[in-house]
Amino acid sequence: MHLYVDTADLDLIETYARSGVIDGVTTNPSIVAETEYTYHEVVASIAERIDGPVFAQVIADDVSGMVEQGRAYDAWAPDVIVKIPATTAGYEALDRLRGEGIRAGVTVLFSVSQAVLAAKNDATFVAPYVGRLTDAGEDGLQVTRDIQAAFDAYGFDTEVLAASVRNTQQARELYRAGVDALTLPPSVFEASFDHHKTDEGLAGFRDDWGDRGDPLRADASEDQR
C-alpha cells in the first residue's frame, strides 16, 4: 500500500518525509499555480526532499503536447511519474509514453470503464476522484472499490490511486477496501495523526507520573538527593 501527500508545500513535505509514512508526492497544475515557482522548480525541489516518486500532470490537451511535456517531466528528476488526463487524446499520449518506457498514468478519472482502458494501456496508475464523484451525486467510494475489484480480478499491475479524498472517513473506507494507494491533502493528512482519545491518554500518563522527574535517571534514590 502506498500513501502520498497531495501538495507542493516544501516545508510540509519535509515534515511528512521525516515521519517516515509517505511514499511520494502528487502535484497538479492547480497546486503548483499556488506557488511562486515554475513546475520544473517545484518537481525538482520535491524530488530532492523525498525518497519516492513525484507525480507531475501535463497541461496540454493535445497528443503531441502531452507527449512533449511527459518526456520533459521524465527528465526533470530520477523518479517522476507523469499524470495524463482521461481523454481520448490522453489515452493515445499514454500509449506513446508507456511505449517509450516512461512511467505515466491517468488522472481526473471518474469511471470503471476509463480505469480499465488505462490499465489495458499499461498505465502506471489510475486516479479516481473520490470527492468529486461524490459531489456529482455518485458514490465515489464505491466506484473506487469497483475499480480495485476489477483490477484484482484481471490481474492488472496498474496501481489504483484514490485521489480527491476529502476527509478521514473517506480515507478509512478506502483503507478498509484495500485500495492500492491514496493521496491525501495536508488537511486530511494532519487529521490522520490525531485522535482525542490519544490526547486524553497522554494527559493521564503525565498526571500519573507527576513530579517523578527524568524517566532516564538510573536510581530511584536520586529523587531524594
Side-chain angles (χ1 to χ4, degrees):
M1 184 269 175
H2 291 143
L3 185 61
Y4 307 114
V5 61
D6 196 33
T7 185
D9 186 317
L10 299 179
D11 291 336
L12 282 179
I13 290 168
E14 287 185 342
T15 298
Y16 297 147
R18 287 195 299 270
S19 74
V21 298
I22 64 168
D23 297 294
V25 174
T26 60
T27 70
N28 61 49
S30 297
I31 287 173
V32 175
E34 293 176 353
T35 76
E36 58 186 17
Y37 304 107
T38 67
Y39 215 142
H40 186 180
E41 290 171 329
V42 168
V43 170
S45 296
I46 294 173
E48 291 174 354
R49 288 165 168 79
I50 65 167
D51 181 17
V54 184
F55 292 74
Q57 185 171 329
V58 300
I59 299 171
D61 57 11
D62 62 293
V63 176
S64 61
M66 291 186 214
V67 171
E68 179 183 9
Q69 290 175 4
R71 289 170 177 160
Y73 293 174
D74 180 62
W76 285 352
D79 204 359
V80 173
I81 299 178
V82 182
K83 298 170 67 177
I84 305 290
T87 63
T88 302
Y91 286 104
E92 184 176 341
L94 173 66
D95 185 59
R96 290 174 57 179
L97 290 170
R98 293 298 291 133
E100 296 176 14
I102 294 173
R103 290 186 299 165
V106 174
T107 189
V108 199
L109 186 144
F110 293 92
S111 73
V112 176
S113 297
Q114 288 177 314
V116 169
L117 292 178
K120 287 285 291 179
N121 238 5
D122 193 31
T124 304
F125 73 94
V126 294
Y129 273 31
V130 177
R132 293 195 191 185
L133 274 162
T134 303
D135 292 344
E138 297 189 54
D139 188 337
L141 291 169
Q142 189 58 51
V143 171
T144 306
R145 294 188 195 101
D146 291 344
I147 292 171
Q148 186 69 64
F151 281 24
D152 291 345
Y154 287 119
F156 290 140
D157 291 329
T158 300
E159 180 175 73
V160 180
L161 169 53
S164 184
V165 178
R166 300 284 176 76
N167 51 60
T168 55
Q169 180 179 354
Q170 289 181 342
R172 182 169 64 250
E173 291 301 317
L174 292 164
Y175 295 146
R176 289 180 60 192
V179 173
D180 292 329
L182 282 73
T183 183
L184 304 178
S187 60
V188 179
F189 213 101
E190 291 288 345
S192 298
F193 284 104
D194 300 326
H195 196 285
H196 70 279
K197 297 302 292 184
T198 300
D199 296 335
E200 290 178 10
L202 290 175
F205 292 143
R206 285 191 294 268
D207 289 345
D208 291 343
W209 188 255
D211 59 358
R212 291 175 60 85
D214 187 353
L216 299 181
R217 71 189 191 284
D219 192 321
S221 63
E222 293 178 15
D223 288 342
Q224 309 303 319
R225 296 173 188 171

